[in-house]
């Protein structure tokens, strides 16, 4: 199927009420002579250096170690993404009005996503870094959103309009605007998955996220299994509470949970956990624990409800997985053991909010209030909760859904080194096992 979208449909799907004309262009075709001025600290003349940037965007110029080159610049060069980022900055400077800028950010965001997919799946050979590397997409996107915030437009652009441009660019570069099942036999099983951006960047700017790398490996692919073909669509979520409050999880999974011929047969959110574990989480909790996100924001309490997607009348405190976890465990993937992970923390009925009343046990008790699920109370848990609350709200209870936590990575000892053979082999092993588990889940879907 085509990946193009009509203007009204895109506006509805990404929650933005602006009608824009979309281009059908796919990958960038840029000259190797394109200036690198838009990469790093230097920007074209049409950019304001005093623009208000997010914490994530402010990390662009930071080195891995003191006195070194910007980590972001190293990742762009290593992946061969420098020219694409510079071209976007140049094109945005040339945009004569808001409508042209809207068209450009969607076209360029989708092109960045397609470029990252082509590189990850071996269809395009650019740069020197391993094709399983998810980090160049993250840093390229930040360069582009920073450019939008710094753009001195030839016409007046309000804060709301500028934020809408960033929103369109962000969603397009995460795969949300190009969700289409690939052509496959009529009996193919359709699986929608999500991964995450890198995070904990205040600890290290070289962090990778194998769940995001898995999403890049799988989007648009058909996996052959003994039970028949499994076709996959994927997106990569930000590690930001604000984006979740705005409904990015629902914007993604809502597209494949409608009661029509495009409904998914299984949905799965994926994220990174501790080392050496592959956990199918038994429960999702209606709880936010307050850990800081990539913009250092914190939130605590129940999970918000988006207004633009159907929801159950009352948000359940707990949602249990319906993934075919027994088949996933029995698939015998490696190198890490696969388990159904239980264990929750709750306020028993009538005890909230007394801190001393919180207790932890295998499963929730009747009438309890959620404190954390087996997968915690951060955005991993929330991605499972939101996607499956939406699944219930859209009356898609027959579609299995749940969350898979996958092993963390081991990085090179030298903190100034981006990558290395052992690190790359380790990430490939984790990603390949995750792909195998997606295939096993799809093969077992009813």
């Amino acid at each position: 199927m085509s990946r193009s979208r009509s203007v009204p449909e895109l506006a509805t799907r990404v929650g933005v009420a602006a009608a824009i004309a979309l281009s059908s262009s796919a990958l960038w075709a840029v000259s190797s002579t394109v200036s690198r001025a838009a990469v790093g600290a230097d920007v074209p003349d049409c950019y304001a250096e005093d623009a208000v940037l997010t914490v994530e965007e402010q990390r662009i110029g930071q080195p891995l170690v003191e006195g070194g080159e910007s980590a972001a610049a190293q990742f762009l060069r290593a992946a061969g993404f420098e020219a694409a980022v510079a071209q976007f900055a140049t094109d945005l400077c040339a945009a004569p009005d808001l409508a042209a800028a809207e068209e450009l950010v969607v076209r360029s965001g989708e092109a960045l996503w397609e470029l990252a997919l082509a590189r990850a799946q071996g269809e395009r050979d650019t740069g020197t870094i391993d094709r399983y590397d998810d980090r160049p997409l993250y840093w390229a996107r930040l360069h582009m959103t920073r450019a939008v915030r710094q753009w001195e437009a030839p016409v007046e652009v309000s804060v709301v309009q500028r934020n809408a441009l960033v929103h369109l660019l962000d969603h397009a570069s995460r795969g949300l605007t190009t969700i289409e099942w690939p052509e496959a036999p009529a009996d193919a099983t359709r699986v929608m998955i999500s991964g995450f951006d890198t995070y904990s960047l205040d600890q290290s700017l070289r962090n990778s996220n194998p769940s995001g790398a898995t999403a890049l490996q799988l989007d648009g692919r058909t996996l052959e299994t003994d039970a028949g073909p499994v076709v996959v669509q994927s997106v990569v979520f930000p590690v930001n509470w604000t984006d979740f409050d705005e409904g990015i999880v629902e914007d993604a999974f809502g597209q494949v949970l409608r009661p029509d011929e495009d409904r998914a047969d299984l949905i799965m959110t994926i994220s990174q956990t501790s080392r050496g574990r592959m956990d199918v989480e038994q429960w999702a909790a209606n709880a936010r624990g307050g850990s800081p996100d990539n913009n250092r924001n914190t939130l605590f309490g129940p999970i918000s409800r988006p207004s633009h997607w159907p929801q159950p009348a009352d948000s359940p405190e707990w949602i249990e997985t319906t993934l075919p976890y027994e088949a996933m465990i029995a698939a015998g993937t490696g190198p890490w053991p696969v388990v159904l992970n239980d264990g929750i923390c709750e306020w028993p009925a009538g005890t909230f909010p007394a801190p001393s009343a919180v207790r932890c046990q295998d499963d929730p008790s009747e009438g309890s209030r959620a404190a954390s699920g087996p997968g915690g109370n951060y955005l991993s848990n929330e991605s499972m909760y939101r996607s499956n609350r939406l699944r219930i709200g859209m009356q898609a209870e027959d579609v299995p859904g749940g969350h898979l936590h996958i092993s963390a990575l081991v990085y090179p000892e030298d903190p100034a080194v981006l990558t290395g053979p052992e690190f790359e082999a380790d990430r490939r092993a984790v990603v390949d096992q995750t792909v195998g588990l997606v295939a096993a889940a799809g093969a077992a879907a009813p």
Side-chain angles (χ1 to χ4, degrees):
M1 289 185 175
S2 168
R3 286 180 172 266
S4 63
R5 283 287 175 188
S6 67
V7 169
E9 187 176 5
L10 172 65
T12 299
R13 289 156 73 95
V14 300
V16 176
I20 58 177
L22 298 182
S23 168
S24 61
S25 65
L27 302 179
W28 274 290
V30 293
S31 167
S32 60
T33 61
V34 171
S35 171
R36 296 183 181 180
V39 180
D42 297 327
V43 293
D45 292 339
C46 77
Y47 288 85
E49 294 185 2
D50 59 350
V52 177
L53 305 178
T54 66
V55 171
E56 287 188 284
E57 291 160 352
Q58 291 173 38
R59 293 191 181 102
I60 286 176
Q62 296 178 6
L64 288 177
V65 294
E66 186 175 355
E69 182 186 10
S70 158
Q74 291 185 64
F75 279 120
L76 294 193
R77 183 172 64 252
F81 284 6
E82 288 177 304
V85 170
Q87 185 68 59
F88 172 74
T90 300
D91 291 346
L92 187 58
C93 278
D97 52 37
L98 185 60
E102 288 175 336
E103 178 183 354
L104 173 66
V105 297
V106 174
R107 185 177 70 244
S108 300
E110 291 181 352
L112 177 61
W113 176 252
E114 296 291 342
L115 176 61
L117 291 180
R119 187 182 181 283
Q121 297 178 19
E123 297 174 1
R124 185 160 178 172
D125 186 15
T126 62
T128 59
I129 207 166
D130 180 53
R131 69 179 179 89
Y132 276 62
D133 207 306
D134 58 300
R135 298 170 292 182
L137 171 61
Y138 174 79
W139 291 106
R141 181 190 301 115
L142 283 182
H143 274 83
M144 293 167 67
T145 59
R146 183 186 70 168
V148 173
R149 296 189 202 280
Q150 293 179 320
W151 178 46
E152 292 188 324
V155 295
E156 184 176 352
V157 178
S158 69
V159 172
V160 171
Q161 290 170 326
R162 191 177 298 271
N163 288 342
L165 289 176
V166 172
H167 182 96
L168 285 167
L169 172 58
D170 183 80
H171 276 51
S173 64
R174 295 182 179 280
L176 271 77
T177 62
T178 51
I179 296 173
E180 292 280 5
W181 299 115
E183 293 184 4
D187 62 345
T189 300
R190 292 169 293 193
V191 174
M192 171 81 176
I193 70 162
S194 63
F196 272 99
D197 282 348
T198 178
Y199 63 104
S200 295
L201 295 164
D202 286 334
Q203 298 176 21
S204 176
L205 294 172
R206 66 176 179 172
N207 283 349
S208 173
N209 194 324
S211 71
T214 298
L216 292 176
Q217 287 297 315
L218 281 178
D219 190 48
R221 283 183 57 188
T222 298
L223 306 176
E224 297 297 338
T225 75
D226 292 341
V230 174
V231 295
V232 186
Q233 283 291 282
S234 64
V235 294
V236 174
F237 288 142
V239 183
N240 280 312
W241 297 110
T242 301
D243 296 276
F244 273 54
D245 276 339
E246 292 175 351
I248 191 170
V249 175
E250 292 83 359
D251 288 347
F253 283 99
Q255 298 182 52
V256 299
L257 289 174
R258 294 189 177 100
D260 56 31
E261 67 277 5
D262 286 333
R263 175 170 277 186
D265 298 306
L266 182 145
I267 64 170
M268 184 191 304
T269 52
I270 305 173
S271 65
Q272 176 182 264
T273 187
S274 55
R275 176 67 176 174
R277 299 180 62 95
M278 304 293 270
D279 295 339
V280 181
E281 303 299 350
Q282 184 171 2
W283 298 97
N286 183 17
R288 291 168 155 180
S291 296
D293 63 17
N294 275 350
N295 278 320
R296 302 187 188 128
N297 294 322
T298 61
L299 284 174
F300 180 86
I303 294 170
S304 63
R305 293 164 61 94
S307 61
H308 57 292
W309 287 101
Q311 302 288 300
D314 296 307
S315 291
E317 285 299 299
W318 306 98
I319 300 177
E320 190 169 11
T321 187
T322 54
L323 289 176
Y325 60 86
E326 292 178 340
M328 296 169 69
I329 294 170
T333 60
W336 306 116
V338 182
V339 301
L340 177 66
N341 190 37
D342 60 9
I344 58 89
C345 294
E346 64 176 16
W347 281 275
T351 65
F352 179 83
S356 61
V358 174
R359 70 181 184 190
C360 299
Q361 58 195 40
D362 288 346
D363 298 306
S365 61
E366 184 176 356
S368 68
R369 179 152 178 174
S372 66
N377 51 20
Y378 193 44
L379 291 163
S380 296
N381 168 78
E382 187 156 332
S383 68
M384 175 182 174
Y385 184 88
R386 284 183 175 276
S387 58
N388 286 277
R389 182 179 61 183
L390 176 67
R391 184 173 59 83
I392 297 168
M394 296 187 73
Q395 300 180 0
E397 289 94 338
D398 58 323
V399 177
H403 188 82
L404 175 65
H405 256 129
I406 64 177
S407 175
L409 307 174
V410 175
Y411 293 84
E413 290 185 6
D414 185 347
V417 174
L418 292 183
T419 189
E422 292 183 0
F423 167 71
E424 292 175 358
D426 182 44
R427 182 173 52 203
R428 280 179 176 248
V430 173
V431 171
D432 287 347
Q433 182 175 9
T434 308
V435 170
L437 289 170
V438 172

